[in-house]
């Protein structure tokens, strides 16, 4: 039963990590776009950094759940 819970948590964290990665990439493009205002680019950069942190957190958590599901 615990393995099923860990597998479900692995899937959930993997999906959340992918969502954070997609958001990070979108913000990266906004930050690089010279047609945007400096304020917009700065906000996108800040959001991109937060998304990267979220992505790393979710990927690490997914790995932990994946390993726990194996045992």
């Amino acid at each position: 039963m615990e393995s099923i819970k860990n597998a479900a948590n692995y899937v959930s964290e993997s999906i959340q990590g992918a969502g954070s990665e997609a958001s990070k990439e979108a913000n990266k493009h906004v930050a690089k776009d010279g047609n945007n205002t400096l304020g917009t680019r700065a906000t996108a950069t800040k959001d991109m950094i937060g998304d990267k942190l979220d992505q790393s957190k979710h990927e690490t958590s997914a790995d932990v759940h994946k390993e726990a599901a194996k045992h």
Side-chain angles (χ1 to χ4, degrees):
M1 187 65 153
E2 196 65 27
S3 291
I4 294 170
K5 181 179 175 185
N6 284 321
N9 286 335
Y10 164 72
V11 171
S12 175
E13 292 291 345
S14 295
I15 291 168
Q16 290 177 52
S20 293
E21 181 178 14
S23 181
K24 177 193 78 171
E25 288 300 317
N27 281 316
K28 184 167 117 179
H29 290 293
V30 171
K32 286 183 165 185
D33 187 350
N35 293 324
N36 289 324
T37 66
L38 185 57
T40 299
R41 293 174 71 185
T43 299
T45 300
K46 176 189 69 75
D47 292 344
M48 181 183 67
I49 292 167
D51 291 336
K52 179 60 181 172
L53 293 173
D54 287 344
Q55 177 189 0
S56 296
K57 181 188 81 164
H58 289 302
E59 288 174 350
T60 300
S61 186
D63 288 342
V64 168
H65 289 300
K66 182 179 178 181
E67 288 302 312
K70 290 180 182 179
H71 302 288

